[in-house]
Every structure is written in structure tokens, then in C-alpha cells.
Amino acid sequence: MGIFNRKSDAAAPVDPALAALSGDYTIDPAHSSIGFTVRHAMVTNVRGAFDEYDGKLSLNGADPASSSASIDVKIASIDTANADRDNHLRSADFFDAENFPTMTFRSTRAEEAGGGTYRIIGDLTIKDVTRPLTIDLEFNGSAKDAFGNERVGFEGGATILRSDWGLTWNAAVETGGVMVSDKVKLNFDISAIKNT
């Protein structure tokens, strides 16, 4: 049973395995990734990630739909394996990291999507723009690691239009089209440790 399964009968007994996952968790950046993919010059994909972030999960085994998540991402930690491009992304043309150092996500609800996938719905804030974001996730399970930490894992993504958050810089390419696509794929691979 997945962590975000809804129960059709509120009086139904709680799955003990699910109930055991209830609690507060901290995302482990050393074993997680928050990344993105965007089309460049209409012909290839550029991939990048944010290397610094803080995140928390609150999982409720008795009422999984009320589970929540929050993430604070440091924009200056953007990494696309190209220093010039990273500096451009940090500039006012894109994220304006000097004036808006943090990107945030705050969930508002969780729900079952069917087929073993789940959704976290919430608000994504980039610069001074806040808009709704839906993230499709797969619950990868739970385990106790070699150090005795209780972990849960999630993997998933979302697709956004960067212009919805005011990230509109672009340049034309000679063969037609633009340098950077509006569509951006967000990728999440999350390992979180249960707080003791």
C-alpha cells in the first residue's frame, strides 16, 4: 500500500505498515536530487540540478492524504556543468539569485493518482511569483539504513512553463525557433530520514 492511498471508508483499520511510517522526515541531500531538463537551441537537452536545499516531509499513516512536504532551494547552487551558463541562470535574466535567493515549494494536499502513482499539489514560488504545481510521484518504499536511520523514498516529476514564473529571457536561433524552450521538466529523487 502506498503512503498516499486514500481510504474510502474512514472507519477502516489502518494498515500497520503504513501507520509505522507516520512522522516527520528530513530530506537527505546527499542521497537525493532536485533537477531539471530544458531544450536548448531546439535540438538538444540541457540537464541541471540544485545542489543545496532543505526539505521536510510530514507523513500521516492514518490519513495519508493529509501528508505534506516543503522544500527551500538555494538558487545560487544551480549546476548545469557549465560555469558561464550557471552564472547566466543566476543573473537577472533568469532567477536573479541576488534579489531572490530561494525557490520554495509548499504542499497543500496529497492524493492517489492510480496505477501506483501519487500526486503532491502545492505552491511553487520563484522570484516573486507563486503558482500552483502538481508533482507526480512514485513511492519507492521504506527501509532502515546501515546507520539505523528510517528512510522513505520518492521519485517523480512535473512539467512547467518557465514563463508562468516570469522566466522569459530568450534569443532567436538562425534556423528558426529559440535558444531556450519555455517547457521545463522537473525531476525529483528523494530520500528522507525520519526525525528521532
Side-chain angles (χ1 to χ4, degrees):
M1 176 178 286
I3 188 66
F4 296 120
N5 279 8
R6 285 184 168 173
K7 293 181 171 33
S8 58
D9 180 358
V14 176
D15 183 328
L18 184 61
L21 298 179
S22 292
D24 295 326
Y25 293 75
T26 299
I27 293 175
D28 175 11
H31 298 93
S32 303
S33 65
I34 297 176
F36 58 89
T37 304
V38 62
R39 181 78 68 182
H40 176 260
M42 310 298 291
V43 297
T44 190
N45 288 319
V46 168
R47 292 173 175 81
F50 295 94
D51 294 333
E52 296 181 37
Y53 47 87
D54 297 309
K56 300 187 181 307
L57 308 176
S58 181
L59 305 183
N60 186 330
D63 181 16
S66 69
S67 298
S68 63
S70 66
I71 301 174
D72 296 323
V73 177
K74 294 184 180 178
I75 295 298
S77 73
I78 197 166
D79 182 3
T80 66
N82 182 290
D84 289 341
R85 180 169 54 223
D86 294 345
N87 287 332
H88 191 197
L89 289 168
R90 294 180 188 112
S91 78
D93 281 346
F94 285 96
F95 288 104
D96 194 4
E98 184 175 349
N99 292 306
F100 302 97
T102 307
M103 172 174 59
T104 64
F105 176 78
R106 299 289 183 266
S107 70
T108 54
R109 69 182 193 276
E111 61 186 37
E112 183 179 8
T117 61
Y118 307 91
R119 289 197 176 102
I120 295 289
I121 298 94
D123 295 319
L124 175 66
T125 300
I126 302 174
K127 298 171 79 170
D128 56 354
V129 178
T130 299
R131 293 181 60 88
L133 175 68
T134 298
I135 304 171
D136 290 326
L137 292 170
E138 180 179 354
F139 175 54
N140 288 338
S142 61
K144 182 175 285 190
D145 67 21
F147 302 100
N149 298 310
E150 296 285 350
R151 290 181 179 268
V152 292
F154 299 90
E155 182 178 2
T159 299
I160 66 170
L161 298 179
R162 62 189 178 90
S163 59
D164 287 345
W165 281 267
L167 303 178
T168 57
W169 182 92
N170 228 322
V173 295
E174 290 184 10
T175 54
V178 293
M179 187 69 70
V180 184
S181 70
D182 193 21
K183 184 170 71 173
V184 180
K185 295 178 182 178
L186 305 177
N187 310 298
F188 304 91
D189 199 342
I190 302 297
S191 178
I193 299 172
K194 194 171 189 179
N195 300 342
T196 55

